[in-house]
């Protein structure tokens, strides 16, 4: 019986660089209120959101990804030719095939990098980060580009009072590379498909194509059910990620949860009993919920503003449609 050669990957993987892109158009709550019966105070009190960014025609999923990726590659101090894999997490690229990752890999100038898309909603960044880590440790790539990108304005029903104010557009990217010490902890991830109806697309694309419905499909959710699940169940997952990494909340420097809703963030901080010294990402206030892009965008902003610094230990957790989730502890680049 033939024996396979052992993999020649790195012993560990780490995030080496981060970059973000937010569309130029800033949309305040007043614009949202033109089509729903609500108030700025209600939106802020329910979500913490003050503004969000919406993409124009030129700010496509690919274009935003390329901008964010260029910054991440520069931040990592490598060249695009060294990228061996490109993973894009998105639910708002409207071409079923080919994967937008292939276009991004080509336009960035990679040397025929492996490239593919995944769909894991707001947990997509965590899923992609875990896959990238595996590629590096296994030895199939030395550097992997992970991108979370969304144009959720295309999937927003501006007349839906429960969701019209939530979503924004943007792209966040990180370069993952080899490390001689652990810098991306074990991932605690999973799915609860029995709750898939709580966040979903209103109708399949085929119903719109056939004319069974006239309204373009949008994202809808059962707000209270999602809130309860996120607050109670995801706090448990976050704690499991800390335990898996072998650290306590006292040893944590930064908490970067999915930027879904500031009330959810506050409740998770309380449930986890995070010490006051822990910096908490609150990018949702000015960026809104950007699904797969929210964690890398929040990470990029914390580092850019100095609220977090290189070498800090951060707990990241994403959760959303599926319902799916992914949490891990990372060392910031």
């Amino acid at each position: 019986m033939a024996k396979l050669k052992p993999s020649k990957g790195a012993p560990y993987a780490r995030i080496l660089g981060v970059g973000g892109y937010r569309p130029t158009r800033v949309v305040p709550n007043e614009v949202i209120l033109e089509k729903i019966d609500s108030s700025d105070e209600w939106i802020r009190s329910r979500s913490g959101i003050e503004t969000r960014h919406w993409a124009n025609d030129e700010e496509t999923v690919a274009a935003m990804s390329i901008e964010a990726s260029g910054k991440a590659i520069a931040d990592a101090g490598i060249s695009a030719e060294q990228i061996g894999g490109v993973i894009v997490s998105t639910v708002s690229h409207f071409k079923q095939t080919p994967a937008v990752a292939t276009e991004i890999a080509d336009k960035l100038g990679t040397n025929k990098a492996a490239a593919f898309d995944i769909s894991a909603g707001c947990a997509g960044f965590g899923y992609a980060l875990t896959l990238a880590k595996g590629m590096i440790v296994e030895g199939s790539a030395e550097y992997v580009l992970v991108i979370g990108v969304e144009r959720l304005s295309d999937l927003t029903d501006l007349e839906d009072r429960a969701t019209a104010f939530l979503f924004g557009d943007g792209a966040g990217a990180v370069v993952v590379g080899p490390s001689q010490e652990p810098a991306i902890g074990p991932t605690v991830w999973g799915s609860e498909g029995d709750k898939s109806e709580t966040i979903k697309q209103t109708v399949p694309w085929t119903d719109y194509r056939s004319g069974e419905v006239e309204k373009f499909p949008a994202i809808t959710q059962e707000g209270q059910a999602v809130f309860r699940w996120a607050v109670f169940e995801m706090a448990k997952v976050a704690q499991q990620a800390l335990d898996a990494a072998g650290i306590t909340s006292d040893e944590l420097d930064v908490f970067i949860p999915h930027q879904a809703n500031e009330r959810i963030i506050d409740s998770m901080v309380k449930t986890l009993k995070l010490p006051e010294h822990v910096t908490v990402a609150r990018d949702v206030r000015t960026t809104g919920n950007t699904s797969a892009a929210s964690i890398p965008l929040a990470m990029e902003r914390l580092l850019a503003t100095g609220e977090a610094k290189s070498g800090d230990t951060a707990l990241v957790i994403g959760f959303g449609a599926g319902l799916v989730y992914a949490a891990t502890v990372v060392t910031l680049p």
Side-chain angles (χ1 to χ4, degrees), residues 61 86-90 93 95-104 115-120 131 149:
V61 164
V86 178
I87 309 173
V88 177
S89 178
T90 186
H93 176 58
K95 285 186 179 179
Q96 194 71 40
T97 191
V100 71
T102 59
E103 177 185 350
I104 295 165
F116 57 96
D117 299 351
I118 65 170
S119 176
L131 295 175
V149 57

PDB file of all heavy atoms in Angstrom, residues 61 86-90 93 95-104 115-120 131 149:
ATOM      1  N   VAL A  61     -19.730  44.432  -5.919  1.00  0.00           N
ATOM      2  CA  VAL A  61     -19.145  43.488  -4.964  1.00  0.00           C
ATOM      3  C   VAL A  61     -17.666  43.272  -5.279  1.00  0.00           C
ATOM      4  O   VAL A  61     -16.810  43.284  -4.385  1.00  0.00           O
ATOM      5  CB  VAL A  61     -19.921  42.157  -4.989  1.00  0.00           C
ATOM      6  CG1 VAL A  61     -19.123  41.051  -4.308  1.00  0.00           C
ATOM      7  CG2 VAL A  61     -21.283  42.322  -4.315  1.00  0.00           C
ATOM      8  N   VAL A  86      -8.036  32.701  -2.602  1.00  0.00           N
ATOM      9  CA  VAL A  86      -8.955  33.820  -2.382  1.00  0.00           C
ATOM     10  C   VAL A  86     -10.317  33.244  -2.036  1.00  0.00           C
ATOM     11  O   VAL A  86     -10.916  32.510  -2.837  1.00  0.00           O
ATOM     12  CB  VAL A  86      -9.072  34.725  -3.624  1.00  0.00           C
ATOM     13  CG1 VAL A  86     -10.081  35.849  -3.375  1.00  0.00           C
ATOM     14  CG2 VAL A  86      -7.717  35.314  -4.007  1.00  0.00           C
ATOM     15  N   ILE A  87     -10.797  33.563  -0.836  1.00  0.00           N
ATOM     16  CA  ILE A  87     -12.106  33.087  -0.383  1.00  0.00           C
ATOM     17  C   ILE A  87     -12.996  34.298  -0.152  1.00  0.00           C
ATOM     18  O   ILE A  87     -12.641  35.199   0.618  1.00  0.00           O
ATOM     19  CB  ILE A  87     -12.005  32.278   0.923  1.00  0.00           C
ATOM     20  CG1 ILE A  87     -10.941  31.175   0.810  1.00  0.00           C
ATOM     21  CG2 ILE A  87     -13.356  31.672   1.287  1.00  0.00           C
ATOM     22  CD1 ILE A  87     -10.676  30.444   2.126  1.00  0.00           C
ATOM     23  N   VAL A  88     -14.133  34.325  -0.800  1.00  0.00           N
ATOM     24  CA  VAL A  88     -15.071  35.435  -0.670  1.00  0.00           C
ATOM     25  C   VAL A  88     -16.364  34.951  -0.033  1.00  0.00           C
ATOM     26  O   VAL A  88     -16.996  34.014  -0.532  1.00  0.00           O
ATOM     27  CB  VAL A  88     -15.391  36.075  -2.040  1.00  0.00           C
ATOM     28  CG1 VAL A  88     -16.423  37.190  -1.884  1.00  0.00           C
ATOM     29  CG2 VAL A  88     -14.119  36.626  -2.675  1.00  0.00           C
ATOM     30  N   SER A  89     -16.743  35.585   1.060  1.00  0.00           N
ATOM     31  CA  SER A  89     -18.035  35.290   1.679  1.00  0.00           C
ATOM     32  C   SER A  89     -19.002  36.408   1.346  1.00  0.00           C
ATOM     33  O   SER A  89     -18.750  37.580   1.646  1.00  0.00           O
ATOM     34  CB  SER A  89     -17.893  35.169   3.192  1.00  0.00           C
ATOM     35  OG  SER A  89     -19.160  34.928   3.783  1.00  0.00           O
ATOM     36  N   THR A  90     -20.119  36.059   0.707  1.00  0.00           N
ATOM     37  CA  THR A  90     -21.120  37.051   0.333  1.00  0.00           C
ATOM     38  C   THR A  90     -22.453  36.369   0.055  1.00  0.00           C
ATOM     39  O   THR A  90     -22.491  35.198  -0.332  1.00  0.00           O
ATOM     40  CB  THR A  90     -20.680  37.846  -0.918  1.00  0.00           C
ATOM     41  OG1 THR A  90     -21.610  38.893  -1.189  1.00  0.00           O
ATOM     42  CG2 THR A  90     -20.555  36.939  -2.134  1.00  0.00           C
ATOM     43  N   HIS A  93     -23.829  38.733  -4.255  1.00  0.00           N
ATOM     44  CA  HIS A  93     -23.287  38.707  -5.609  1.00  0.00           C
ATOM     45  C   HIS A  93     -24.305  37.978  -6.470  1.00  0.00           C
ATOM     46  O   HIS A  93     -24.551  36.787  -6.278  1.00  0.00           O
ATOM     47  CB  HIS A  93     -21.940  37.970  -5.639  1.00  0.00           C
ATOM     48  CG  HIS A  93     -21.368  37.817  -7.004  1.00  0.00           C
ATOM     49  ND1 HIS A  93     -21.100  38.892  -7.823  1.00  0.00           N
ATOM     50  CD2 HIS A  93     -21.017  36.714  -7.718  1.00  0.00           C
ATOM     51  CE1 HIS A  93     -20.604  38.474  -8.961  1.00  0.00           C
ATOM     52  NE2 HIS A  93     -20.555  37.145  -8.927  1.00  0.00           N
ATOM     53  N   LYS A  95     -24.533  36.978  -9.584  1.00  0.00           N
ATOM     54  CA  LYS A  95     -24.204  35.992 -10.602  1.00  0.00           C
ATOM     55  C   LYS A  95     -23.969  34.656  -9.914  1.00  0.00           C
ATOM     56  O   LYS A  95     -23.066  34.535  -9.098  1.00  0.00           O
ATOM     57  CB  LYS A  95     -22.958  36.410 -11.384  1.00  0.00           C
ATOM     58  CG  LYS A  95     -23.188  37.524 -12.389  1.00  0.00           C
ATOM     59  CD  LYS A  95     -21.920  37.763 -13.215  1.00  0.00           C
ATOM     60  CE  LYS A  95     -22.146  38.848 -14.248  1.00  0.00           C
ATOM     61  NZ  LYS A  95     -20.908  39.112 -15.036  1.00  0.00           N
ATOM     62  N   GLN A  96     -24.781  33.682 -10.243  1.00  0.00           N
ATOM     63  CA  GLN A  96     -24.628  32.372  -9.625  1.00  0.00           C
ATOM     64  C   GLN A  96     -23.271  31.759  -9.938  1.00  0.00           C
ATOM     65  O   GLN A  96     -22.666  31.079  -9.114  1.00  0.00           O
ATOM     66  CB  GLN A  96     -25.735  31.434 -10.106  1.00  0.00           C
ATOM     67  CG  GLN A  96     -25.873  30.157  -9.290  1.00  0.00           C
ATOM     68  CD  GLN A  96     -26.441  30.408  -7.901  1.00  0.00           C
ATOM     69  OE1 GLN A  96     -27.343  31.209  -7.750  1.00  0.00           O
ATOM     70  NE2 GLN A  96     -25.886  29.744  -6.903  1.00  0.00           N
ATOM     71  N   THR A  97     -22.807  32.009 -11.178  1.00  0.00           N
ATOM     72  CA  THR A  97     -21.504  31.509 -11.598  1.00  0.00           C
ATOM     73  C   THR A  97     -20.972  32.408 -12.699  1.00  0.00           C
ATOM     74  O   THR A  97     -21.768  32.979 -13.456  1.00  0.00           O
ATOM     75  CB  THR A  97     -21.613  30.034 -12.073  1.00  0.00           C
ATOM     76  OG1 THR A  97     -20.306  29.476 -12.229  1.00  0.00           O
ATOM     77  CG2 THR A  97     -22.377  29.908 -13.379  1.00  0.00           C
ATOM     78  N   PRO A  98     -19.683  32.653 -12.814  1.00  0.00           N
ATOM     79  CA  PRO A  98     -18.626  32.104 -11.970  1.00  0.00           C
ATOM     80  C   PRO A  98     -18.545  32.818 -10.630  1.00  0.00           C
ATOM     81  O   PRO A  98     -19.135  33.891 -10.444  1.00  0.00           O
ATOM     82  CB  PRO A  98     -17.365  32.377 -12.800  1.00  0.00           C
ATOM     83  CG  PRO A  98     -17.691  33.637 -13.537  1.00  0.00           C
ATOM     84  CD  PRO A  98     -19.151  33.511 -13.886  1.00  0.00           C
ATOM     85  N   ALA A  99     -17.781  32.245  -9.721  1.00  0.00           N
ATOM     86  CA  ALA A  99     -17.571  32.862  -8.416  1.00  0.00           C
ATOM     87  C   ALA A  99     -16.898  34.218  -8.593  1.00  0.00           C
ATOM     88  O   ALA A  99     -15.985  34.365  -9.408  1.00  0.00           O
ATOM     89  CB  ALA A  99     -16.702  31.953  -7.547  1.00  0.00           C
ATOM     90  N   VAL A 100     -17.334  35.206  -7.843  1.00  0.00           N
ATOM     91  CA  VAL A 100     -16.719  36.530  -7.930  1.00  0.00           C
ATOM     92  C   VAL A 100     -15.268  36.483  -7.453  1.00  0.00           C
ATOM     93  O   VAL A 100     -14.437  37.320  -7.843  1.00  0.00           O
ATOM     94  CB  VAL A 100     -17.535  37.566  -7.126  1.00  0.00           C
ATOM     95  CG1 VAL A 100     -17.383  37.341  -5.616  1.00  0.00           C
ATOM     96  CG2 VAL A 100     -17.147  38.992  -7.503  1.00  0.00           C
ATOM     97  N   ALA A 101     -14.920  35.494  -6.645  1.00  0.00           N
ATOM     98  CA  ALA A 101     -13.544  35.348  -6.170  1.00  0.00           C
ATOM     99  C   ALA A 101     -12.564  35.194  -7.322  1.00  0.00           C
ATOM    100  O   ALA A 101     -11.417  35.664  -7.242  1.00  0.00           O
ATOM    101  CB  ALA A 101     -13.436  34.144  -5.233  1.00  0.00           C
ATOM    102  N   THR A 102     -12.980  34.557  -8.417  1.00  0.00           N
ATOM    103  CA  THR A 102     -12.073  34.367  -9.552  1.00  0.00           C
ATOM    104  C   THR A 102     -11.759  35.701 -10.222  1.00  0.00           C
ATOM    105  O   THR A 102     -10.618  35.949 -10.626  1.00  0.00           O
ATOM    106  CB  THR A 102     -12.675  33.393 -10.583  1.00  0.00           C
ATOM    107  OG1 THR A 102     -13.940  33.899 -11.058  1.00  0.00           O
ATOM    108  CG2 THR A 102     -12.911  32.025  -9.965  1.00  0.00           C
ATOM    109  N   GLU A 103     -12.762  36.565 -10.356  1.00  0.00           N
ATOM    110  CA  GLU A 103     -12.540  37.894 -10.922  1.00  0.00           C
ATOM    111  C   GLU A 103     -11.608  38.714 -10.033  1.00  0.00           C
ATOM    112  O   GLU A 103     -10.692  39.395 -10.513  1.00  0.00           O
ATOM    113  CB  GLU A 103     -13.880  38.623 -11.088  1.00  0.00           C
ATOM    114  CG  GLU A 103     -13.739  40.042 -11.602  1.00  0.00           C
ATOM    115  CD  GLU A 103     -15.064  40.791 -11.651  1.00  0.00           C
ATOM    116  OE1 GLU A 103     -16.119  40.154 -11.474  1.00  0.00           O
ATOM    117  OE2 GLU A 103     -15.036  42.025 -11.864  1.00  0.00           O
ATOM    118  N   ILE A 104     -11.833  38.645  -8.734  1.00  0.00           N
ATOM    119  CA  ILE A 104     -11.011  39.398  -7.780  1.00  0.00           C
ATOM    120  C   ILE A 104      -9.568  38.911  -7.826  1.00  0.00           C
ATOM    121  O   ILE A 104      -8.621  39.709  -7.868  1.00  0.00           O
ATOM    122  CB  ILE A 104     -11.598  39.263  -6.361  1.00  0.00           C
ATOM    123  CG1 ILE A 104     -12.972  39.931  -6.299  1.00  0.00           C
ATOM    124  CG2 ILE A 104     -10.657  39.856  -5.327  1.00  0.00           C
ATOM    125  CD1 ILE A 104     -13.773  39.554  -5.064  1.00  0.00           C
ATOM    126  N   ALA A 115      -9.636  30.065  -6.041  1.00  0.00           N
ATOM    127  CA  ALA A 115     -10.602  31.128  -5.732  1.00  0.00           C
ATOM    128  C   ALA A 115     -12.009  30.565  -5.713  1.00  0.00           C
ATOM    129  O   ALA A 115     -12.426  29.887  -6.655  1.00  0.00           O
ATOM    130  CB  ALA A 115     -10.495  32.257  -6.765  1.00  0.00           C
ATOM    131  N   PHE A 116     -12.745  30.868  -4.633  1.00  0.00           N
ATOM    132  CA  PHE A 116     -14.117  30.383  -4.535  1.00  0.00           C
ATOM    133  C   PHE A 116     -14.923  31.245  -3.579  1.00  0.00           C
ATOM    134  O   PHE A 116     -14.362  31.940  -2.727  1.00  0.00           O
ATOM    135  CB  PHE A 116     -14.157  28.917  -4.086  1.00  0.00           C
ATOM    136  CG  PHE A 116     -13.475  28.641  -2.774  1.00  0.00           C
ATOM    137  CD1 PHE A 116     -14.198  28.581  -1.586  1.00  0.00           C
ATOM    138  CD2 PHE A 116     -12.106  28.408  -2.720  1.00  0.00           C
ATOM    139  CE1 PHE A 116     -13.576  28.301  -0.373  1.00  0.00           C
ATOM    140  CE2 PHE A 116     -11.474  28.128  -1.513  1.00  0.00           C
ATOM    141  CZ  PHE A 116     -12.215  28.076  -0.336  1.00  0.00           C
ATOM    142  N   ASP A 117     -16.249  31.198  -3.751  1.00  0.00           N
ATOM    143  CA  ASP A 117     -17.173  31.922  -2.885  1.00  0.00           C
ATOM    144  C   ASP A 117     -17.808  30.950  -1.897  1.00  0.00           C
ATOM    145  O   ASP A 117     -17.966  29.758  -2.193  1.00  0.00           O
ATOM    146  CB  ASP A 117     -18.308  32.561  -3.705  1.00  0.00           C
ATOM    147  CG  ASP A 117     -17.820  33.576  -4.718  1.00  0.00           C
ATOM    148  OD1 ASP A 117     -16.622  33.926  -4.680  1.00  0.00           O
ATOM    149  OD2 ASP A 117     -18.636  34.013  -5.552  1.00  0.00           O
ATOM    150  N   ILE A 118     -18.213  31.493  -0.744  1.00  0.00           N
ATOM    151  CA  ILE A 118     -19.026  30.728   0.196  1.00  0.00           C
ATOM    152  C   ILE A 118     -20.225  31.578   0.604  1.00  0.00           C
ATOM    153  O   ILE A 118     -20.191  32.804   0.525  1.00  0.00           O
ATOM    154  CB  ILE A 118     -18.234  30.286   1.447  1.00  0.00           C
ATOM    155  CG1 ILE A 118     -17.807  31.495   2.276  1.00  0.00           C
ATOM    156  CG2 ILE A 118     -17.049  29.441   1.071  1.00  0.00           C
ATOM    157  CD1 ILE A 118     -17.243  31.111   3.643  1.00  0.00           C
ATOM    158  N   SER A 119     -21.283  30.916   1.025  1.00  0.00           N
ATOM    159  CA  SER A 119     -22.479  31.596   1.502  1.00  0.00           C
ATOM    160  C   SER A 119     -22.767  31.115   2.915  1.00  0.00           C
ATOM    161  O   SER A 119     -23.274  30.016   3.108  1.00  0.00           O
ATOM    162  CB  SER A 119     -23.675  31.305   0.586  1.00  0.00           C
ATOM    163  OG  SER A 119     -24.858  31.882   1.099  1.00  0.00           O
ATOM    164  N   ALA A 120     -22.420  31.935   3.891  1.00  0.00           N
ATOM    165  CA  ALA A 120     -22.687  31.584   5.287  1.00  0.00           C
ATOM    166  C   ALA A 120     -23.193  32.799   6.040  1.00  0.00           C
ATOM    167  O   ALA A 120     -22.983  32.923   7.245  1.00  0.00           O
ATOM    168  CB  ALA A 120     -21.434  31.014   5.940  1.00  0.00           C
ATOM    169  N   LEU A 131     -11.371  28.172   6.983  1.00  0.00           N
ATOM    170  CA  LEU A 131     -10.908  27.479   5.784  1.00  0.00           C
ATOM    171  C   LEU A 131      -9.502  27.938   5.398  1.00  0.00           C
ATOM    172  O   LEU A 131      -8.664  27.132   5.014  1.00  0.00           O
ATOM    173  CB  LEU A 131     -11.879  27.732   4.632  1.00  0.00           C
ATOM    174  CG  LEU A 131     -13.286  27.166   4.793  1.00  0.00           C
ATOM    175  CD1 LEU A 131     -14.172  27.605   3.627  1.00  0.00           C
ATOM    176  CD2 LEU A 131     -13.259  25.650   4.886  1.00  0.00           C
ATOM    177  N   VAL A 149     -17.883  40.590   1.957  1.00  0.00           N
ATOM    178  CA  VAL A 149     -18.369  41.726   1.162  1.00  0.00           C
ATOM    179  C   VAL A 149     -19.872  41.616   0.940  1.00  0.00           C
ATOM    180  O   VAL A 149     -20.400  40.528   0.722  1.00  0.00           O
ATOM    181  CB  VAL A 149     -17.634  41.802  -0.199  1.00  0.00           C
ATOM    182  CG1 VAL A 149     -17.779  40.506  -0.985  1.00  0.00           C
ATOM    183  CG2 VAL A 149     -18.117  42.996  -1.022  1.00  0.00           C
TER     184      VAL A 149
END
